[in-house]
Amino acid sequence: MDPAWDEFIITGEPFILAGQIAILVTTIGIIFILTYFKKWKWLWNEWITTPDHRKIGIMYIIASLLMMIRAGVDAMMMRTQLAAPNMPFLGEAQHYNEIFTTHGTIMIIFVATPFLIGLMNVAVPLQIGARDVAFPFVNNLSFWTFFWGAMLFNISFVIGGAPDAGWSAYMPLASNDLSMGPGQNFYLLGLQISGIGTLATGINLVTTIIKMRAKGMTLMRMPMFTWTTLITSLIIIGSFPILTVALAMQTFDRLWDAAFFTLQDGGMPMMWVNLFWLWGHPEVYIVILPAFGIFSEIITTFARKRLFGYTSMVFAIAAISGLSFLVWVHHFFTMGAGPMVNSFFSISTMAIAVPTGVKIFNWLATLHRGRIRFNVPMVWALGFIPNFTIGGVTGVMLAMAAADYQYHNTYFLVSHFHYVLIAGTIFGCFAGTIYWWPKMFGVKLNERLGHWVFWLFMIGFNVTFFPQYFLGLDGMPRRIYTYFPEDGWFSLNFLSTVGAYMMGFAFVLLVYNMYYSYRYEKRETSGDAWGGRTLEWATSSAIPPHYNFAQIPEVKDQDAFWQMKQEGVDPNGVEEYQDVHMPNHSGNPFVMCVFMFIGGFGLVFHWWTIGIIGALGIFACMIQRSFSRDDGHIVSAEEVRKEEAEIREGQANENG
Amino acid sequence: MADTADLSKGLPTNPEKATLEGKNKFLGMFVFLAGEVTMFATFFGTYLGLRDGTAGGPEPADLFQLPLVFIMTMILLTSSLTSVLAVYAMKKNQFQKLKLWMWVTFLLGVSFLSLEIYEFVEYYEHGLGYTSSAFASSFYTLVGLHGAHVLFGLGWILLLLLRYRGTGVTLSNAPKFYAFSLYWHFIDVVWVFIFTVVYLMGIGA
């Protein structure tokens, strides 16, 4: 494939033209601001090369929010197109196909997953009383693979054309014959590059949690978010390589005419569907379990009670993670695997409702007779329980294989997975961000605006998706770009579109709140913004010092910090300071990932020379790394003592 | 992070796990290999699903030559043994022996890889191109991926041997040599499965 230069940049679409102009203006704006304020060096030294888990977490969250805007605009465009019968808004089916493909892919791969990984990065090392993750260099590398993978995927809509085979990219629809042009290649290579980072993060977090917990923190004293992170990381290790393999095979089919999925050469198109969902279903739990962990933290903090049924929570997560690998066929009951197979997967799917139900009742029992404070993170958590349960119940309906023949491929399904992914994952991401915001930026988000955001978003969400259950039962299929007046789907679709705009407005308000609070809200003076129970709130200052803890606290209870407060122990009352060993900054991962981007971009267009340049660059970076001396650096006891004294002095001034 | 170990009485008996960084590398490598297991398992599954899809082209039984594959297996198994001897020398702080056995491992790996390339060229001349059939694609991808792992391992140990040619065993390089040996054992185990599932079952069936 060698596209002519006039086809290289997409032209002739007003929305894409607007996107191109927006990208150009934003890029020039960023370059101008960084140059004008002389911030390039600061950006490189403080952020791009940082091994600090908190900063990497913040970068993950910012990048995910940006991706959420992009995929959210996609959603708005889809809802506008479907607001009324025969809408001329998007023009043709092709454009609609591209938009639902990128909406789904970005929301799962570049929003939900990295958003939660960002929160894990911010909170988990602090929760277990560690100074950083096990492999800080790899952590930085993980972020940049995600970032450049996302960039490679996103430029598709202005250069070369967006993928249009759905986020699940079934073969043979995604093959060269039916998806011509480079669009699908962007999907394959963008996901492949970012997948490396996700797997590396999984390995990193497992090692961190197993090896680097503070003294006294046994496994069964770990905070629930740390538990869910550990189990999620194990699911990542068991499932992401399957996606890697599936993507690689489709890439080989498309770029080098391999025969994995082509029938006439002995291949099996169904193999793709199986492999995709063998990864895809565990992925669903990768993005929901950490959200469960976040809600557990928030509910215990704001109900001011110990978590009810801690042990059963742990077993429930473990059971869910095991079952998550045994249900993938329920995504294609209608493909005719036979009654025995369908029955097995029907039952295993319904079985997941049991541990999930255990968790729901544990949360309710934790709330029972708690002294509840209705701060913004808590209202998100309280909103999660009923809304997520609606999604769960419709999930059990879909799990009945015989009935699924009716629901399959309709808006009923669309509504179901939005109820679990938004009310579960997205509510969790927002709640976690608001909860740990003071840990990241030393300031709380404004509560008044925060309540507005919650109510607008939650009502908007229900107005959008509740009607879609009925549209589905009424026979409206998913992935259609228009419908006729006589179909009778107008009023519910219109309602749904109104709700979507409410959600969009709420999201804008949330982003505004981040800006507003940064400008005007009162700075936090202590590390304990909410009256927390776990170690991340035990740091000496609101934003933890770069070494996190001057002295690693000793854990005596499941709610370690709560117990210290009860017994009047000051976790920062250090008697003798000691040297602290910290990792060094490195620009190597950033450069390596730029080469991944370059190589991936070359492969998309079959420009082998550029592909080889990218590969050579990656290996050069690896060689550079293995010859460089990097044993970290020592922060001396004297420096730690000085920094801690300054923090205390600052707090005394604030309070005095 | 890395709490430095007490070196006043010489190197500890397990230098690869004496520091926190070494312990992390040790566990991290195992977890990474768990991910590799998932990846290879998926390719094995794919191969088993597609090996009958020969599309009228050459079939496994027409191609595979057991004597050659047996020699390759022996070479790779021996290289695993020599890497164990290298790690054994490392634990006894015998750096020259460590280097010697790692170089032997390296050379055995090179000969394995050369034979594999020879094997692939043979098959190609018998009419099994990469795009001939689903069997061909899945065979070359599975065995080729293993070959790529061998190549990566060779590059890895070469860099370690060049970088640490005169340093002696230290607490910072011991975990690196050890992690390499874990990786090398792993690709050896994968080869045992390839030998069984691809070659023995290919000829038997």
Side-chain angles (χ1 to χ4, degrees):
Chain A
M1 175 182 9
D2 216 355
W5 279 102
D6 57 329
E7 289 170 19
F8 183 63
I9 306 277
I10 301 291
T11 50
E13 273 280 355
F15 291 109
I16 292 179
L17 184 66
Q20 285 162 336
I21 293 169
I23 291 174
L24 201 67
V25 170
T26 316
T27 313
I28 293 172
I30 291 172
I31 292 174
F32 176 76
I33 289 172
L34 286 172
T35 312
Y36 186 78
F37 291 102
K38 299 195 173 66
K39 288 288 187 188
W40 284 104
K41 218 172 164 180
W42 165 82
L43 187 71
W44 178 262
N45 288 335
E46 292 290 316
W47 293 93
I48 292 177
T49 61
T50 186
D52 184 331
H53 66 93
R54 187 181 61 87
K55 286 183 174 172
I56 291 173
I58 290 171
M59 291 197 290
Y60 262 116
I61 291 168
I62 291 172
S64 310
L65 282 170
L66 290 173
M67 288 292 104
M68 200 187 272
I69 294 173
R70 199 249 127 138
V73 170
D74 284 346
M76 292 297 149
M77 283 159 67
M78 280 192 283
R79 276 322 317 165
T80 310
Q81 168 65 25
L82 291 175
N86 293 327
M87 274 288 270
F89 178 65
L90 287 178
E92 47 177 340
Q94 175 61 22
H95 197 181
Y96 188 83
N97 292 348
E98 291 174 6
I99 290 174
F100 76 64
T101 302
T102 51
H103 168 76
T105 314
I106 293 176
M107 280 294 187
I108 294 285
I109 306 274
F110 302 127
V111 177
T113 317
F115 208 132
L116 291 163
I117 290 177
L119 291 170
M120 290 172 186
N121 261 303
V122 169
V124 167
L126 288 164
Q127 283 196 328
I128 62 173
R131 294 209 162 100
D132 209 320
V133 293
F135 310 111
F137 176 90
V138 177
N139 204 16
N140 186 293
L141 180 73
S142 294
F143 171 73
W144 289 114
T145 55
F146 148 66
F147 181 85
W148 286 108
M151 289 302 112
L152 183 61
F153 183 86
N154 272 280
I155 56 165
S156 66
F157 87 106
V158 288
I159 298 175
D164 58 358
W167 88 283
S168 47
Y170 279 9
M171 290 296 258
L173 178 60
S175 67
N176 280 331
D177 298 332
L178 297 171
S179 291
M180 286 155 283
Q184 185 60 20
N185 297 347
F186 276 113
Y187 168 98
L188 293 166
L189 290 150
L191 264 59
Q192 192 69 281
I193 291 172
S194 72
I196 300 169
T198 313
L199 180 65
T201 299
I203 296 168
N204 212 338
L205 288 169
V206 169
T207 312
T208 307
I209 295 171
I210 301 278
K211 285 283 173 201
M212 295 171 73
R213 298 192 306 277
K215 196 175 163 217
M217 183 175 281
T218 57
L219 282 176
M220 292 310 267
R221 277 183 192 164
M222 291 198 310
M224 202 40 71
F225 183 59
T226 302
W227 254 117
T228 53
T229 300
L230 176 63
I231 303 259
T232 303
S233 303
L234 293 173
I235 304 180
I236 287 176
I237 291 153
S239 69
F240 259 81
I242 305 175
L243 177 70
T244 306
V245 173
L247 291 172
M249 293 198 297
Q250 195 179 101
T251 311
F252 294 169
D253 266 15
R254 284 182 60 90
L255 296 187
W256 297 299
D257 295 315
F260 292 106
F261 306 119
T262 40
L263 264 180
Q264 71 268 30
D265 293 327
M268 295 159 90
M270 277 304 291
M271 180 90 80
W272 168 267
V273 182
N274 274 290
L275 292 178
F276 183 85
W277 289 113
L278 256 170
W279 159 78
H281 203 87
E283 164 69 9
V284 171
Y285 293 92
I286 291 171
V287 297
I288 196 65
L289 288 180
F292 286 172
I294 293 167
F295 292 127
S296 299
E297 300 292 339
I298 290 172
I299 287 172
T300 48
T301 302
F302 293 96
R304 284 179 273 191
K305 254 184 84 190
R306 215 178 166 83
L307 186 67
F308 183 89
Y310 177 94
T311 316
S312 66
M313 276 305 208
V314 173
F315 279 101
I317 310 164
I320 291 173
S321 74
L323 285 169
S324 75
F325 286 93
L326 299 173
V327 298
W328 79 95
V329 173
H330 73 212
H331 294 271
F332 43 99
F333 277 145
T334 56
M335 288 207 189
M340 274 307 286
V341 174
N342 277 2
S343 307
F344 173 84
F345 284 96
S346 194
I347 292 166
S348 62
T349 304
M350 288 182 207
I352 291 193
V354 177
T356 315
V358 167
K359 294 181 73 72
I360 297 275
F361 284 108
N362 278 340
W363 287 314
L364 292 177
T366 309
L367 291 170
H368 180 62
R369 308 192 70 169
R371 288 169 298 142
I372 298 173
R373 289 173 297 168
F374 291 94
N375 292 86
V376 180
M378 186 60 164
V379 291
W380 283 104
L382 295 175
F384 149 78
I385 295 176
N387 285 304
F388 181 82
T389 306
I390 297 174
V393 169
T394 50
V396 177
M397 289 168 72
L398 281 156
M400 293 184 276
D404 183 66
Y405 278 73
Q406 187 66 32
Y407 308 129
H408 188 84
N409 232 14
T410 68
Y411 264 80
F412 190 86
L413 170 78
V414 173
S415 186
H416 156 71
F417 68 68
H418 281 94
Y419 258 87
V420 282
L421 283 170
I422 294 180
T425 306
I426 299 298
F427 279 26
C429 289
F430 287 167
T433 307
I434 298 162
Y435 181 59
W436 283 306
W437 195 261
K439 229 11 37 178
M440 294 187 261
F441 298 102
V443 62
K444 278 181 193 163
L445 287 178
N446 181 284
E447 289 261 315
R448 207 176 129 82
L449 274 170
H451 280 284
W452 272 101
V453 171
F454 167 74
W455 286 105
L456 276 170
F457 195 88
M458 204 272 284
I459 295 170
F461 160 70
N462 277 292
V463 173
T464 311
F465 292 105
F466 206 70
Q468 291 186 6
Y469 281 126
F470 298 96
L471 281 171
L473 293 174
D474 212 12
M476 182 170 165
R478 67 193 292 209
R479 293 178 173 174
I480 53 163
Y481 81 107
T482 194
Y483 52 93
F484 300 111
E486 54 270 29
D487 289 327
W489 298 329
F490 167 60
S491 45
L492 287 176
N493 264 308
F494 187 77
L495 193 60
S496 183
T497 303
V498 171
Y501 277 91
M502 276 176 83
M503 286 168 83
F505 178 67
F507 181 73
V508 173
L509 206 57
L510 175 72
V511 175
Y512 171 71
N513 194 5
M514 290 172 181
Y515 163 79
Y516 176 87
S517 307
Y518 191 74
R519 286 292 299 271
Y520 302 113
E521 282 295 293
K522 199 165 78 59
R523 292 315 187 243
E524 289 297 315
T525 51
S526 84
D528 188 13
W530 304 106
R533 309 175 74 83
T534 41
L535 282 184
E536 75 266 37
W537 307 109
T539 55
S540 55
S541 54
I543 301 176
H546 65 105
Y547 45 78
N548 285 355
F549 300 96
Q551 175 182 294
I552 303 294
E554 195 178 334
V555 175
K556 296 206 175 85
D557 190 75
Q558 168 196 315
D559 291 324
F561 184 44
W562 188 256
Q563 181 260 353
M564 287 178 195
K565 286 192 277 190
Q566 295 300 307
E567 294 180 7
V569 178
D570 177 9
N572 297 301
V574 184
E575 284 175 6
E576 196 187 345
Y577 288 98
Q578 279 174 341
D579 290 353
V580 172
H581 184 259
M582 294 302 290
N584 286 344
H585 288 237
S586 170
N588 183 312
F590 181 79
V591 178
M592 196 194 296
C593 295
V594 169
F595 277 115
M596 286 189 195
F597 175 84
I598 292 170
F601 189 78
L603 289 186
V604 165
F605 290 99
H606 297 205
W607 294 335
W608 310 127
T609 326
I610 296 181
I612 291 168
I613 290 171
L616 290 177
I618 296 167
F619 285 119
C621 287
M622 287 182 175
I623 293 169
Q624 192 275 336
R625 170 69 182 167
S626 71
F627 274 91
S628 64
R629 247 190 106 75
D630 182 8
D631 294 330
H633 61 275
I634 303 283
V635 184
S636 73
E638 185 51 30
E639 287 170 69
V640 177
R641 194 191 59 75
K642 248 194 214 153
E643 194 159 339
E644 291 290 305
E646 270 169 33
I647 290 167
R648 257 194 300 275
E649 204 175 307
Q651 281 162 355
N653 289 343
E654 283 284 337
N655 297 332
Chain B
M1 292 271 307
D3 317 327
T4 38
D6 179 20
L7 290 175
S8 55
K9 295 186 194 103
L11 214 58
T13 38
N14 287 312
E16 75 279 3
K17 284 183 280 188
T19 60
L20 177 60
E21 223 168 297
K23 285 184 192 127
N24 284 345
K25 282 207 171 102
F26 180 75
L27 180 69
M29 196 64 204
F30 264 104
V31 181
F32 166 72
L33 292 178
E36 291 266 282
V37 167
T38 315
M39 184 171 74
F40 273 105
T42 315
F43 271 119
F44 273 109
T46 315
Y47 175 77
L48 287 176
L50 297 179
R51 68 174 174 165
D52 296 329
T54 49
E59 291 178 22
D62 305 337
L63 295 166
F64 297 155
Q65 299 291 331
L66 262 196
L68 175 70
V69 184
F70 182 74
I71 294 170
M72 286 165 70
T73 309
M74 282 303 128
I75 290 175
L76 203 61
L77 286 176
T78 313
S79 78
S80 219
L81 174 70
T82 54
S83 77
V84 172
L85 292 172
V87 168
Y88 193 65
M90 182 185 84
K91 294 199 183 201
K92 291 208 262 170
N93 199 7
Q94 297 165 327
F95 192 61
Q96 293 306 324
K97 256 190 169 170
L98 163 70
K99 281 199 297 187
L100 176 72
W101 284 120
M102 281 302 184
W103 276 112
V104 175
T105 308
F106 176 79
L107 292 175
L108 287 168
V110 170
S111 39
F112 171 86
L113 205 59
S114 315
L115 285 176
E116 185 158 271
I117 292 167
Y118 165 76
E119 186 200 357
F120 279 9
V121 172
E122 279 287 291
Y123 295 158
Y124 183 73
E125 283 171 359
H126 279 83
L128 190 78
Y130 184 69
T131 60
S132 307
S133 63
F135 157 66
S137 298
S138 59
F139 167 77
Y140 281 126
T141 311
L142 170 61
V143 182
L145 180 76
H146 176 267
H149 273 73
V150 174
L151 183 64
F152 187 84
L154 291 175
W156 183 355
I157 192 60
L158 191 65
L159 287 179
L160 281 179
L161 285 168
L162 290 179
R163 184 183 164 183
Y164 294 109
R165 55 194 183 281
T167 57
V169 181
T170 65
L171 290 182
S172 85
N173 70 18
K176 298 183 183 185
F177 280 108
Y178 196 82
F180 165 77
S181 80
L182 285 178
Y183 175 84
W184 198 254
H185 292 319
F186 171 75
I187 50 181
D188 198 28
V189 171
V190 171
W191 180 259
V192 171
F193 278 89
I194 289 179
F195 182 63
T196 316
V197 172
V198 177
Y199 293 101
L200 289 183
M201 282 166 68
I203 288 173

